[in-house]
Every structure is written in structure tokens, then in C-alpha cells.
Short mmCIF file of all heavy atoms in Angstrom, two decimals:
data_model
loop_
_atom_site.label_atom_id
_atom_site.label_comp_id
_atom_site.label_asym_id
_atom_site.label_seq_id
_atom_site.Cartn_x
_atom_site.Cartn_y
_atom_site.Cartn_z
N PHE A 27 103.30 94.19 108.21
CA PHE A 27 103.18 93.63 106.90
C PHE A 27 104.50 93.46 106.28
O PHE A 27 105.23 94.45 106.07
CB PHE A 27 102.22 94.38 106.02
CG PHE A 27 100.77 94.38 106.49
CD1 PHE A 27 100.30 95.35 107.28
CD2 PHE A 27 99.93 93.36 106.10
CE1 PHE A 27 98.96 95.37 107.72
CE2 PHE A 27 98.59 93.31 106.50
CZ PHE A 27 98.12 94.36 107.31
N VAL A 28 104.89 92.28 105.93
CA VAL A 28 106.21 91.98 105.37
C VAL A 28 106.06 91.40 103.97
O VAL A 28 105.41 90.34 103.79
CB VAL A 28 107.06 91.05 106.28
CG1 VAL A 28 108.42 90.83 105.68
CG2 VAL A 28 107.11 91.61 107.67
N PHE A 29 106.60 92.07 102.93
CA PHE A 29 106.57 91.60 101.57
C PHE A 29 107.94 91.02 101.23
O PHE A 29 108.96 91.60 101.59
CB PHE A 29 106.20 92.73 100.62
CG PHE A 29 104.83 93.30 100.83
CD1 PHE A 29 104.68 94.39 101.70
CD2 PHE A 29 103.73 92.77 100.19
CE1 PHE A 29 103.38 94.89 101.89
CE2 PHE A 29 102.45 93.30 100.38
CZ PHE A 29 102.28 94.36 101.26
N TYR A 30 107.95 89.85 100.56
CA TYR A 30 109.20 89.23 100.22
C TYR A 30 109.06 88.32 99.04
O TYR A 30 107.92 87.90 98.67
CB TYR A 30 109.70 88.46 101.42
CG TYR A 30 108.82 87.27 101.82
CD1 TYR A 30 109.15 85.99 101.42
CD2 TYR A 30 107.68 87.51 102.62
CE1 TYR A 30 108.35 84.93 101.78
CE2 TYR A 30 106.87 86.43 102.98
CZ TYR A 30 107.20 85.15 102.55
OH TYR A 30 106.42 84.07 102.88
N ASN A 31 110.15 88.03 98.48
CA ASN A 31 110.23 87.08 97.35
C ASN A 31 110.52 85.71 97.91
O ASN A 31 111.61 85.46 98.41
CB ASN A 31 111.34 87.52 96.37
CG ASN A 31 111.44 86.60 95.16
OD1 ASN A 31 110.84 85.53 95.12
ND2 ASN A 31 112.18 87.08 94.15
N PRO A 32 109.56 84.78 97.80
CA PRO A 32 109.72 83.46 98.43
C PRO A 32 110.80 82.58 97.76
O PRO A 32 111.25 81.61 98.36
CB PRO A 32 108.37 82.83 98.26
CG PRO A 32 107.75 83.49 97.09
CD PRO A 32 108.30 84.88 97.10
N ILE A 33 111.25 82.99 96.58
CA ILE A 33 112.28 82.24 95.89
C ILE A 33 113.69 82.50 96.52
O ILE A 33 114.47 81.60 96.78
CB ILE A 33 112.32 82.54 94.40
CG1 ILE A 33 110.97 82.13 93.75
CG2 ILE A 33 113.47 81.83 93.71
CD1 ILE A 33 110.88 82.47 92.28
N THR A 34 113.90 83.79 96.86
CA THR A 34 115.22 84.18 97.37
C THR A 34 115.20 84.55 98.83
O THR A 34 116.30 84.68 99.43
CB THR A 34 115.76 85.36 96.53
OG1 THR A 34 114.85 86.44 96.65
CG2 THR A 34 115.93 84.99 95.07
N THR A 35 114.04 84.76 99.38
CA THR A 35 113.93 85.31 100.75
C THR A 35 112.90 84.49 101.51
O THR A 35 111.96 83.90 100.98
CB THR A 35 113.48 86.76 100.72
OG1 THR A 35 114.30 87.49 99.81
CG2 THR A 35 113.56 87.39 102.11
N ALA A 36 113.14 84.43 102.85
CA ALA A 36 112.21 83.74 103.75
C ALA A 36 111.99 84.56 105.01
O ALA A 36 112.85 85.42 105.35
CB ALA A 36 112.74 82.37 104.08
N VAL A 37 110.89 84.35 105.67
CA VAL A 37 110.60 85.03 106.95
C VAL A 37 110.31 83.94 107.99
O VAL A 37 109.41 83.13 107.82
CB VAL A 37 109.38 85.95 106.78
CG1 VAL A 37 109.06 86.60 108.15
CG2 VAL A 37 109.71 87.07 105.77
N PHE A 38 111.05 83.98 109.06
CA PHE A 38 110.85 83.09 110.17
C PHE A 38 110.30 83.83 111.36
O PHE A 38 110.72 84.99 111.62
CB PHE A 38 112.21 82.44 110.56
CG PHE A 38 112.09 81.27 111.44
CD1 PHE A 38 111.91 79.96 110.92
CD2 PHE A 38 112.15 81.39 112.84
CE1 PHE A 38 111.84 78.88 111.76
CE2 PHE A 38 111.99 80.29 113.66
CZ PHE A 38 111.85 79.03 113.12
N LYS A 39 109.39 83.25 112.12
CA LYS A 39 108.76 83.97 113.26
C LYS A 39 109.06 83.25 114.60
O LYS A 39 109.06 82.02 114.64
CB LYS A 39 107.26 84.00 113.06
CG LYS A 39 106.81 84.76 111.81
CD LYS A 39 105.28 84.72 111.64
CE LYS A 39 104.86 85.35 110.32
NZ LYS A 39 103.37 85.33 110.20
N TYR A 40 109.32 84.09 115.58
CA TYR A 40 109.49 83.62 116.95
C TYR A 40 108.46 84.27 117.85
O TYR A 40 108.28 85.49 117.81
CB TYR A 40 110.88 84.02 117.55
CG TYR A 40 112.02 83.10 117.13
CD1 TYR A 40 113.21 83.66 116.69
CD2 TYR A 40 111.91 81.72 117.21
CE1 TYR A 40 114.28 82.89 116.35
CE2 TYR A 40 112.97 80.91 116.90
CZ TYR A 40 114.12 81.50 116.44
OH TYR A 40 115.20 80.70 116.10
N PRO A 41 107.75 83.50 118.68
CA PRO A 41 106.86 84.14 119.71
C PRO A 41 107.69 84.77 120.77
O PRO A 41 108.77 84.27 121.15
CB PRO A 41 106.08 82.98 120.23
CG PRO A 41 106.92 81.76 120.01
CD PRO A 41 107.71 82.05 118.75
N VAL A 42 107.25 85.90 121.26
CA VAL A 42 107.99 86.65 122.30
C VAL A 42 107.22 86.70 123.59
O VAL A 42 107.64 87.37 124.52
CB VAL A 42 108.38 88.09 121.86
CG1 VAL A 42 109.41 88.02 120.75
CG2 VAL A 42 107.15 88.85 121.38
N PHE A 43 106.11 85.99 123.67
CA PHE A 43 105.39 85.88 124.94
C PHE A 43 105.97 84.74 125.73
O PHE A 43 106.78 83.92 125.24
CB PHE A 43 103.89 85.68 124.76
CG PHE A 43 103.54 84.59 123.78
CD1 PHE A 43 103.37 83.32 124.19
CD2 PHE A 43 103.30 84.94 122.41
CE1 PHE A 43 103.04 82.30 123.32
CE2 PHE A 43 102.95 83.90 121.52
CZ PHE A 43 102.82 82.60 121.93
N ILE A 44 105.58 84.59 127.02
CA ILE A 44 106.19 83.61 127.93
C ILE A 44 105.91 82.22 127.50
O ILE A 44 104.72 81.84 127.26
CB ILE A 44 105.74 83.87 129.37
CG1 ILE A 44 106.30 85.24 129.90
CG2 ILE A 44 106.19 82.77 130.28
CD1 ILE A 44 105.83 85.59 131.27
N GLN A 45 106.94 81.40 127.43
CA GLN A 45 106.81 80.00 127.13
C GLN A 45 107.05 79.21 128.39
O GLN A 45 107.89 79.56 129.24
CB GLN A 45 107.88 79.56 126.08
CG GLN A 45 107.86 80.43 124.82
CD GLN A 45 106.63 80.26 124.03
OE1 GLN A 45 106.23 79.15 123.66
NE2 GLN A 45 105.96 81.39 123.67
N ARG A 46 106.30 78.09 128.56
CA ARG A 46 106.42 77.25 129.74
C ARG A 46 106.75 75.85 129.29
O ARG A 46 106.04 75.28 128.50
CB ARG A 46 105.14 77.30 130.57
CG ARG A 46 105.25 76.61 131.91
CD ARG A 46 103.93 76.77 132.67
NE ARG A 46 103.98 76.11 133.97
CZ ARG A 46 104.43 76.69 135.07
NH1 ARG A 46 104.86 77.92 135.00
NH2 ARG A 46 104.42 76.03 136.22
N VAL A 47 107.82 75.27 129.91
CA VAL A 47 108.26 73.94 129.49
C VAL A 47 108.35 73.06 130.77
O VAL A 47 109.01 73.41 131.77
CB VAL A 47 109.64 73.98 128.81
CG1 VAL A 47 109.99 72.61 128.23
CG2 VAL A 47 109.68 75.06 127.77
N ASP A 48 107.69 71.92 130.74
CA ASP A 48 107.77 70.95 131.83
C ASP A 48 108.62 69.79 131.35
O ASP A 48 108.15 68.93 130.58
CB ASP A 48 106.36 70.44 132.17
CG ASP A 48 106.36 69.58 133.43
OD1 ASP A 48 107.42 69.27 133.98
OD2 ASP A 48 105.26 69.21 133.91
N TYR A 49 109.84 69.77 131.78
CA TYR A 49 110.80 68.74 131.33
C TYR A 49 110.60 67.42 132.05
O TYR A 49 110.14 67.37 133.15
CB TYR A 49 112.24 69.24 131.58
CG TYR A 49 112.71 70.36 130.66
CD1 TYR A 49 112.64 71.67 131.06
CD2 TYR A 49 113.17 70.08 129.36
CE1 TYR A 49 113.03 72.68 130.22
CE2 TYR A 49 113.56 71.09 128.53
CZ TYR A 49 113.48 72.40 128.93
OH TYR A 49 113.89 73.40 128.09
N ALA A 50 111.00 66.37 131.32
CA ALA A 50 110.99 65.04 131.95
C ALA A 50 112.09 64.98 133.04
O ALA A 50 113.13 65.60 132.90
CB ALA A 50 111.22 63.97 130.89
N PRO A 51 111.84 64.24 134.08
CA PRO A 51 112.81 64.18 135.17
C PRO A 51 114.14 63.56 134.70
O PRO A 51 114.18 62.74 133.78
CB PRO A 51 112.15 63.27 136.24
CG PRO A 51 110.69 63.31 135.89
CD PRO A 51 110.62 63.49 134.42
#
């Protein structure tokens, strides 16, 4: 649980589970 002031502070989230990317050739 993260409490913050949205005027001066922000919270950004990154997933840490495996990501799979199929790139165009």
C-alpha cells in the first residue's frame, strides 16, 4: 500500500514477470 500526494508525487509501476515480444522481421 503506497500513500502519496498526487500533486507533488507520482507512482509508476513496472511488471516483473516474464514479457514476450514477437518482433517484426
Side-chain angles (χ1 to χ4, degrees):
F27 291 94
V28 181
F29 297 90
Y30 65 98
N31 182 346
I33 297 177
T34 60
T35 309
V37 177
F38 193 89
K39 298 178 184 180
Y40 278 134
V42 290
F43 50 87
I44 293 177
Q45 308 292 309
R46 187 177 181 85
V47 189
D48 188 354
Y49 287 97

